[in-house]
Amino acid sequence: PEQLLGEPVTTATDIYTLGLLLYILLTGRLPHSGSPAELIRRITLGEMPPPSSVEISRSRLGAEVLAAPIPPEIMHDLQRQLRGDIDNIVLKALQASPQQRYEDVGAFAADLRRYLNQEPVSARPCTLTYRAARFMQRNRTAVVATILVLAAIIVGTITTVSQTIEARRQRAEAEYQGRSMQLVADFLNLSLFSEGGPDRPVLTMLERLERGAKLVEAQYANEPS
């Protein structure tokens, strides 16, 4: 871009050239096509399509002699591999402004090494989600093992808690049944075998039932069940 605009050429121009070369190696084609005027406009404005958005050339697969197009599933897989970090690395090297590119070749190479080592790259915002995803990719086996261990602990804990709750429920049910039987016995004793006072030695059945109900209500007032 700076050459087209007549601006000073620096080592940042070499970064742009290396980025363009990487673009061709990955996709088998240049980022743009069209008239010279349109090409100049896009280059100077930095309107570069990400490598993952262009159709991969057959030459990328070393299949120049093949007349048939690349199968869609292979094309999608190739584009998926370029999506994300590679897109960001290439587009950072191809920024229209020299100040927005990599500061030198070493920084460019370091980002490519980070990508190959599945580490976070500087060309992409280093969010917590991104760093976590890269960590999981680098330590896939350890992460899977940790997840399995945690899952086993969680399942074991849930099982233990469930068994404890069920045991308490059964114990509460047994106590409830015992209290219910005691209530029935108390009610029968009070209603069937209770006697009146000196002025009323013999009670009617209705009076016995009413007396038994009152006594039961008083005795079990704090146990609604």
Side-chain angles (χ1 to χ4, degrees):
E2 54 267 33
Q3 289 177 304
L4 293 173
L5 295 173
E7 297 175 353
V9 174
T10 64
T11 54
T13 308
D14 297 329
I15 300 296
Y16 189 96
T17 305
L18 288 173
L20 190 61
L21 178 60
L22 179 58
Y23 197 110
I24 297 171
L25 288 172
L26 294 171
T27 65
R29 62 176 70 247
L30 289 166
H32 294 302
S33 62
S35 65
E38 179 65 15
L39 188 59
I40 290 174
R41 186 189 70 82
R42 291 184 176 182
I43 291 175
T44 54
L45 293 178
E47 296 179 354
M48 290 291 179
S52 64
S53 68
V54 302
E55 185 175 349
I56 307 299
S57 171
R58 286 199 299 272
S59 62
R60 168 70 172 77
L61 302 176
E64 299 88 347
V65 297
L66 294 178
I70 301 175
E73 59 273 14
I74 296 180
M75 176 66 71
H76 293 159
D77 184 63
L78 291 172
Q79 292 174 327
R80 180 185 57 79
Q81 293 178 38
L82 301 179
R83 195 173 299 125
D85 286 350
I86 286 294
D87 277 345
N88 283 273
I89 291 173
V90 173
L91 293 181
K92 182 176 177 65
L94 294 177
Q95 289 291 315
S97 171
Q99 291 76 23
Q100 294 180 347
R101 301 172 199 160
Y102 288 100
E103 59 184 12
D104 53 38
V105 175
F108 191 5
D111 241 7
L112 290 173
R113 292 193 188 96
R114 292 189 192 98
Y115 169 77
L116 294 175
N117 294 330
Q118 297 182 330
E119 298 174 351
V121 301
S122 65
R124 188 168 180 174
C126 197
T127 62
L128 180 60
T129 302
Y130 172 60
R131 292 180 64 86
R134 274 310 195 186
F135 176 83
M136 293 178 66
Q137 289 175 345
R138 291 196 309 273
N139 304 277
R140 193 183 306 274
T141 301
V143 170
V144 171
T146 302
I147 291 174
L148 291 176
V149 171
L150 289 175
I153 293 174
I154 292 172
V155 171
T157 302
I158 292 175
T159 301
T160 301
V161 171
S162 299
Q163 291 175 345
T164 302
I165 293 174
E166 178 61 20
R168 290 177 178 175
R169 188 195 65 78
Q170 293 179 358
R171 183 168 61 252
E173 179 66 19
E175 292 176 355
Y176 173 77
Q177 294 297 336
R179 295 289 286 169
S180 297
M181 294 176 64
Q182 183 62 44
L183 182 147
V184 172
D186 291 345
F187 182 79
L188 290 176
N189 286 331
L190 291 170
S191 61
L192 297 182
F193 304 109
S194 60
E195 297 295 340
D199 58 334
R200 192 72 182 279
V202 179
L203 299 176
T204 65
M205 181 56 67
L206 180 58
E207 290 173 333
R208 293 174 186 272
L209 291 175
E210 289 176 345
R211 177 178 290 189
K214 290 179 180 179
L215 292 174
V216 168
E217 286 178 354
Q219 184 174 349
Y220 296 94
N222 296 326
E223 300 182 55
S225 61

